[in-house]
Amino acid sequence: MTNKTRAKHLFIFMLIGLLISSSPNYAHLSIAQKSALVVANPNSYFAIAPELEVLPSQASAQLVKAIAGLQQPKWEFERLQRSLSAQEESSTKLLLLDAWPRLNRQQRQQVSEQLISLGQYHLLYALSMRYALNSELTSLLAVWQGKAVTTFLNNPYLGQFYTLSERQHSSVSCQFNLALIASDLDGLQHLQALKNAYERQPEPGKGTYCLSTPIYAANKLSCKTQRGFAVCDLQHEQSLSKYDHLVFMAAEGLANVSGRHMTLSASSTYNTLIHELMHFSGFEDEYPIPAKKAKWLCATSGQKAPNLYVGDQAPNNWAPSRTCELGKLPSYKPSNSHSLLEYQSIKLDENYRKRWLTVLNSRRLEDKIAVNSAE
């Protein structure tokens, strides 16, 4: 033990000696000295507290831990907040379950909102297994689990979404209205993020597509994967008949379009959404399509899609494409550069935007069968 360490220990023992004296006086000690005394002997906090002059938010981690261990709510609250911010999940769970009954209403509200903002729903769920939570949090956890909820009205955590049974409002200002539908909280939040991204940059132009507020369908929406593609089925689909297209959010699987349905998954990005919207207008993939589809789509000559010509002789200014690599005849696209229809990391370029607008402006597409990218 070094001389410096011996001196430090001696100082702490002297401070402890003050505690057990008949009339301890801590006023002459500095804040650092008072904090060191409490860290060394947490029970000294009860005598020093009136003169500690340290707010929990300004205290060291050691001091917060020492006093929180004495079940002091203000300090337990501070320790919880720090543990959450540091994403210390295992210790946070223990602290949360132990301290919750001693926190006041405002502290519980703040901890709940911090859990929600961090997406720590599993911790909120663990809390609900031991203590009764308010109805708003109970409904939020039900949606997180994909359980049925009657209404989202007046719920600050869910008010930005709709339930399937609530009245939907389509827009008359757009050419096409899309209903965004999910079966759990993750899906709703992902759809909201895609909606926000689309509204910041609508394609192929403003007023073409209006995306609904995300709609919660709970167990009425069932999804699975089929040959790697996400496939969803919605009960009571007729209740959404006013929408031109339905957009489902699945947990996994490749995005695709079939008829008036689009299915996205947890990995879908803004570019995925734009890519699939182009399929609604009849555009075809420019990467090799599956052999089963290529067998019929690439068997005869002619223009098969706004961006696909099949045959031995390409139209003027069209370039070879990979679409029909597994088919009988070669295929061509209207540009010699890569596009969003081949690689979703590429933005929509002006050539394809103009071609897309031409298709949309020629006629409405209700009677046009959209190409199913899953086949």
Side-chain angles (χ1 to χ4, degrees), residues 180-181 186-198 200 211 228-232 247-257 262-277 279 340 344-345 373:
L180 307 181
I181 306 162
D186 287 343
L188 290 172
Q189 292 175 336
H190 194 171
L191 286 173
Q192 185 63 54
L194 291 175
K195 173 181 167 69
N196 293 342
Y198 180 82
R200 287 192 297 270
L211 279 57
F229 290 91
V231 180
C232 295
V247 179
F248 303 134
M249 177 58 67
E252 58 185 355
L254 298 173
N256 62 94
V257 157
M262 178 193 300
T263 308
L264 303 174
S265 69
S267 61
S268 297
T269 65
Y270 163 81
N271 276 1
T272 306
L273 174 63
I274 302 304
H275 176 107
E276 300 304 332
L277 283 175
H279 284 318
L340 173 62
Q344 292 182 20
S345 59
S373 62

Side-chain angles (χ1 to χ4, degrees), residues 164-180:
L164 193 60
S165 61
E166 290 172 326
R167 183 178 180 181
Q168 312 299 321
H169 301 279
S170 58
S171 173
V172 296
S173 62
C174 288
Q175 190 174 357
F176 301 100
N177 283 281
L178 278 63
L180 307 181

Side-chain angles (χ1 to χ4, degrees), residues 164-303:
L164 193 60
S165 61
E166 290 172 326
R167 183 178 180 181
Q168 312 299 321
H169 301 279
S170 58
S171 173
V172 296
S173 62
C174 288
Q175 190 174 357
F176 301 100
N177 283 281
L178 278 63
L180 307 181
I181 306 162
S183 60
D184 59 25
L185 184 61
D186 287 343
L188 290 172
Q189 292 175 336
H190 194 171
L191 286 173
Q192 185 63 54
L194 291 175
K195 173 181 167 69
N196 293 342
Y198 180 82
E199 290 177 348
R200 287 192 297 270
Q201 187 179 348
E203 293 288 5
K206 188 175 181 180
T208 304
Y209 295 100
C210 278
L211 279 57
S212 79
T213 295
I215 301 167
Y216 180 55
N219 56 6
K220 291 183 174 62
L221 178 66
S222 58
C223 299
K224 60 183 180 180
T225 57
Q226 184 174 313
R227 301 196 305 274
F229 290 91
V231 180
C232 295
D233 178 65
L234 177 67
Q235 297 178 32
H236 311 303
E237 182 181 319
Q238 63 274 13
S239 65
L240 299 172
S241 59
K242 69 173 96 176
Y243 288 98
D244 300 288
H245 300 290
L246 305 184
V247 179
F248 303 134
M249 177 58 67
E252 58 185 355
L254 298 173
N256 62 94
V257 157
S258 178
R260 65 189 289 258
H261 296 171
M262 178 193 300
T263 308
L264 303 174
S265 69
S267 61
S268 297
T269 65
Y270 163 81
N271 276 1
T272 306
L273 174 63
I274 302 304
H275 176 107
E276 300 304 332
L277 283 175
M278 295 184 78
H279 284 318
F280 278 146
S281 297
F283 284 80
E284 185 51 77
D285 292 317
E286 292 180 358
Y287 51 77
I289 59 175
K292 181 179 179 181
K293 183 176 181 179
K295 183 176 181 180
W296 60 264
L297 185 61
C298 306
T300 58
S301 299
Q303 185 164 344

Side-chain angles (χ1 to χ4, degrees), residues 2-192:
T2 66
N3 290 335
K4 185 177 181 180
T5 303
R6 288 193 188 95
K8 181 179 179 181
H9 287 178
L10 180 60
F11 170 72
I12 292 174
F13 289 140
M14 290 174 64
L15 289 176
I16 294 173
L18 287 173
L19 177 66
I20 61 177
S21 66
S22 59
S23 301
N25 183 0
Y26 308 106
H28 66 284
L29 298 179
S30 69
I31 292 177
Q33 290 172 329
K34 295 172 187 175
S35 298
L37 176 57
V38 174
V39 170
N41 183 7
N43 284 324
S44 66
Y45 168 75
F46 296 110
I48 290 180
E51 299 174 352
L52 186 56
E53 299 174 340
V54 178
L55 294 175
S57 60
Q58 299 171 342
S60 67
Q62 295 87 347
L63 184 59
V64 170
K65 182 178 180 180
I67 303 177
L70 300 172
Q71 298 186 346
Q72 300 301 297
K74 289 183 179 179
W75 295 83
E76 289 181 298
F77 174 67
E78 178 64 26
R79 191 180 180 195
L80 258 177
Q81 287 193 306
R82 295 188 186 191
S83 185
L84 279 168
S85 297
Q87 298 184 10
E88 301 167 348
E89 292 191 17
S90 57
S91 60
T92 299
K93 182 177 179 179
L94 294 174
L95 291 170
L96 179 66
L97 295 178
D98 180 55
W100 186 259
R102 292 183 293 277
L103 301 182
N104 62 36
R105 182 176 180 180
Q106 183 179 5
Q107 290 169 333
R108 291 181 182 184
Q109 181 71 18
Q110 290 183 45
V111 170
S112 298
E113 290 179 357
Q114 193 170 1
L115 287 169
I116 293 167
S117 68
L118 294 171
Q120 301 286 352
Y121 296 104
H122 60 289
L123 290 179
L124 197 61
Y125 176 73
L127 191 63
S128 73
M129 291 293 96
R130 183 172 297 186
Y131 305 106
L133 302 183
N134 63 44
S135 59
E136 290 82 5
L137 291 175
T138 300
S139 292
L140 177 65
L141 286 172
V143 174
W144 177 66
Q145 295 175 291
K147 296 179 179 179
V149 173
T150 305
T151 181
F152 292 167
L153 293 177
N154 302 318
N155 190 317
Y157 309 115
L158 298 167
Q160 69 272 38
F161 307 125
Y162 286 146
T163 62
L164 193 60
S165 61
E166 290 172 326
R167 183 178 180 181
Q168 312 299 321
H169 301 279
S170 58
S171 173
V172 296
S173 62
C174 288
Q175 190 174 357
F176 301 100
N177 283 281
L178 278 63
L180 307 181
I181 306 162
S183 60
D184 59 25
L185 184 61
D186 287 343
L188 290 172
Q189 292 175 336
H190 194 171
L191 286 173
Q192 185 63 54

